[in-house]
Amino acid sequence: MTVLEIPTAGTALRAPGRKDAWSILGADVSEANTAREALDMADLRDWNVRLMGDVTARTTEINEVGVTTTVVNMPDTRATVRTNPRTRETEYLGTVGRKYTPVQIEAYEKVLDLARTESGAVFHKAGAYAGGRKFFISMSLPGITRIGGIDEHHMHLTLFGSHDGSSSNSLHIGPTRLDCGNMQRIIIAGAKHKVSVPHTASALKKLVTLENELAVLFDWQDAFEREAERMINTPLSMGQFETLVTSRDLWPIPTSPTTRTRKSYERRMDTLRGLFENAATQESIRGTAWAGWNAIGEYLDHYAKAKDLSTRAARSLSDIGEVTKKKTAAHRRLLALAA
């Protein structure tokens, strides 16, 4: 029983026309019956990611005697490149160390197909972004998760990867909230939300055993639902919400701010208050700790300043960086209220 007398089902229509991060960055691959078909639909096959030579650094200095150029060899660093599947041109992806071993996206087809058949999932969205440096293949797990019996979520199992040395490839579990398109990316203590494959010589061996580790991801799903239920049954006032969003881990009140800083702070606070108190996306959960957390998530995923939609979507998908840190910090503080 929730703390509010409100509708008995989510609508998935309270933010009409809004695209979630999956749709901004990826292609629809829901018609795919196999991982191979999904990769083909999203242009994720035949990249031939490979290493090239030793990297050099070049510096140019202008001084009184003219222009001096210095070239420094970096023998422990190499470049990753790919063949663009559309243009067939070679493209630079990143610089990596000596131990880095490229793993083609196709190497994950067997694991993805196994996960799909064992869980009953269907392929969802897939795509590459950041110039091919990062990619994802997402599957939707069957059924709808309803927090408090009303707040609807689709749970996704997703392969996230990179070819620039910025992260391991990993299979993640996590939901998308249907009312607003929030990516519910949080780190839950004691629950493993991903299993990773490092870019080393042991990567292919790790892939063989990866299928045996997938079951632990569903423990995260159970933990997410338990904690969300506690939060939806915990009232939250506007005063408590303001205290939360101005805490050290979120957006503390600036001291001795410039006019620009003060106005930026006030705009953010006005937006956050509006999302918590008035937004249609919180209608079914209004006045709860769960609404407070989702208002913060909605701000980060859909309102926080970003260079463009793709940049905002990419940081919402990531499980590292400021977005997930702030969501996790807010989640931790709100759970303390629900204890």
Side-chain angles (χ1 to χ4, degrees), residues 179-192:
D179 270 352
C180 58
N182 284 2
M183 308 302 297
Q184 310 291 57
R185 307 283 286 175
I186 47 173
I187 309 301
I188 296 177
K192 195 172 184 178

Side-chain angles (χ1 to χ4, degrees), residues 276-328:
F276 177 63
E277 190 171 45
N278 301 313
T281 48
Q282 315 308 332
E283 179 183 334
S284 64
I285 57 175
R286 187 91 64 208
T288 67
W290 185 237
W293 188 68
N294 276 286
I296 291 168
E298 187 169 357
Y299 174 81
L300 290 165
D301 285 355
H302 304 289
Y303 290 89
K305 187 176 180 180
K307 181 176 68 174
D308 51 41
L309 287 177
S310 294
T311 300
R312 184 184 288 124
R315 71 192 187 195
S316 294
L317 284 183
S318 174
D319 71 334
I320 58 176
E322 285 303 306
V323 169
T324 296
K325 284 181 182 178
K326 289 184 186 301
K327 288 181 181 179
T328 299

Side-chain angles (χ1 to χ4, degrees), residues 166-241:
S166 61
S167 66
S168 298
N169 293 348
S170 51
L171 273 163
H172 290 233
I173 192 167
T176 304
R177 184 171 182 253
L178 299 190
D179 270 352
C180 58
N182 284 2
M183 308 302 297
Q184 310 291 57
R185 307 283 286 175
I186 47 173
I187 309 301
I188 296 177
K192 195 172 184 178
H193 72 287
K194 66 179 178 180
V195 290
S196 300
V197 179
H199 291 285
T200 63
S202 63
L204 295 181
K205 291 182 180 179
K206 174 70 172 178
L207 272 172
V208 174
T209 62
L210 186 62
E211 58 195 57
N212 298 322
E213 301 181 41
L214 297 181
V216 303
L217 299 180
F218 296 95
D219 294 337
W220 185 94
Q221 179 178 358
D222 293 339
F224 169 80
E225 292 182 33
R226 284 195 306 271
E227 296 186 354
E229 290 287 341
R230 287 169 55 192
M231 290 164 69
I232 203 171
N233 283 287
T234 300
L236 189 74
S237 68
M238 176 59 79
Q240 289 173 307
F241 179 72

